[in-house]
Each structure stands twice: as C-alpha cells, then as structure tokens.
Amino acid sequence: MGNDTGVEQTLVLLKPDAVARGVVGRILTRFEDAMLKIVASKMVWMDAELMRRHYFDLEDRFGPAVYKAMAVFMQSGPVLALVLEGVDAVACTRKLVGPTYPDQAPPGTIRGDFAHMSQAYANARGIAVANLVHASGNTDEAKHEIAVWFAADEIVEYPSAAERFER
Ligand code: ADP
C-alpha cells in the first residue's frame, strides 16, 4: 500500500511455539478482532538461509549465542507467515503483540497472555525467548521483510467487511 491514507502492510510470523501449541487460531483472532486484514499467508519451515535473511542483524545486536539459539528455535517447526494490512498496521500490530520478553508484556497482549518467559531464563539456558509472534518493527523493516517472505503476486487484494465501515 504505502500511500497517504496511512494504510500499511506489516509482516507477522506465528513462530514454531505458536504453531506447535495450537494457538494459531486464537492469535489470528486477536488481529482479526482489531480489524486488521489478512492479505497473504503461508506455512513455511525455515532453513538456515531464510533465517539469515529474516534475522540479518540479530547476531550483531545480540551476539552469536542468541543467534544460534534463535536459529534452532525458528527451525524447530513450521511458522505461519502473514501480511496484515490496516491503518498504521505496523505500530498497531506491535501493540497487540506486546514487548519482546513475555514476563514484561502486559496482560491483553499476545506475548503477555500466552507466555511468561524472561530474558534471564532464556539466557541462562542458552535457549531462544519463545514469544509466539514476530511483527515488523517499523515501516522500512516491514517493506523489507514482506519482500523476503512473499512474492508480489502472493499478496491478495480483496474488499474486507471492515472497509465498508472505513475500518
Ligand atoms: P522483537 O521480536 O520484539 O522485535 P528483537 O528483534 O529484539 O525483538 O529480537 C528478535 C527475537 O529474538 C525475539 O522476538 C526473541 O524471540 C529473540 N530474543 C531476543 N532477545 C533474546 C535473548 N536475549 N535470548 C534469547 N532470545 C532472544
């Protein structure tokens, strides 16, 4: 989208913990309830190359141990990749998802309601913080990540009921 209406697209991944726990439907309901529109979706088992492309700066930000733990976690099962569309969709989706570490994520957010792991616990065990969802951090990241995960013809245009009510 990317026009002056403020309508944006953002990339969401339901991570392997969300898929394995069978909470995909309940998480998707959160986005649908907020009238965010699903315009693309697919299930993917990540490989090392896609891991590098998606989390290209994670090793620089957190170091090799966290990157390795995340690579193990993200390749431990399939993810459900989605593109969501809506007004200020990037920020709105992050608001619904909540802060990175579930112990700090408030009730009402997906990470706060479906997990409680802390950064300290994950680091002490050398495991990834399993926090159910990835959502693009800003609009530039969203554009880049959507292109990493989806071809242009995999993003579908259709009228949603929400659009009848101007979202
Ligand atoms: P976010 O997903 O909220 O944008 P980051 O981009 O900072 O967060 O981190 C990417 C992902 O890496 C997090 O969602 C989490 O799964 C994992 N992660 C972040 N910090 C750690 C850590 N210290 N130890 C293990 N995993 C981490």
Side-chain angles (χ1 to χ4, degrees):
M1 289 265 83
N3 50 33
D4 59 7
T5 62
V7 176
E8 301 169 347
Q9 294 180 341
T10 190
L11 182 88
V12 166
L13 303 177
L14 303 194
K15 294 181 178 181
D17 54 333
V19 175
R21 288 174 54 185
V23 292
V24 162
R26 290 163 73 195
I27 293 172
L28 287 182
T29 295
R30 305 272 177 125
F31 299 128
E32 290 186 319
D33 282 352
M35 295 174 101
L36 288 159
K37 179 178 168 185
I38 299 170
V39 294
S41 73
K42 62 179 161 189
M43 189 168 255
V44 177
W45 200 309
M46 290 177 80
D47 60 14
E49 190 199 331
L50 185 54
M51 180 68 203
R52 273 284 166 210
R53 289 179 69 207
H54 178 75
Y55 282 122
F56 69 92
D57 63 348
L58 196 71
E59 187 158 4
D60 284 347
R61 290 174 53 221
F62 291 111
V66 167
Y67 184 87
K68 196 168 165 225
M70 273 301 279
V72 169
F73 168 54
M74 293 300 291
Q75 295 174 75
S76 67
V79 306
L80 188 69
L82 305 151
V83 178
L84 300 183
E85 184 182 290
V87 179
D88 298 323
V90 175
C92 284
T93 300
R94 292 281 288 199
K95 180 187 68 178
L96 296 175
V97 169
T100 303
Y101 304 110
D103 64 318
Q104 294 169 13
T109 65
I110 295 165
R111 287 167 169 171
D113 285 351
F114 287 92
H116 68 275
M117 194 192 286
S118 67
Q119 181 179 17
Y121 180 88
N123 289 167
R125 298 186 164 231
I127 59 172
V129 174
N131 56 8
L132 300 126
V133 183
H134 166 83
S136 305
N138 57 55
T139 52
D140 286 344
E141 208 174 280
K143 283 196 187 80
H144 171 76
E145 291 179 349
I146 289 169
V148 165
W149 283 85
F150 290 94
D153 66 1
E154 292 177 311
I155 300 172
V156 182
E157 276 187 42
Y158 66 97
S160 71
E163 280 154 355
R164 288 176 44 210
F165 303 104
E166 308 259 323
R167 302 179 207 253

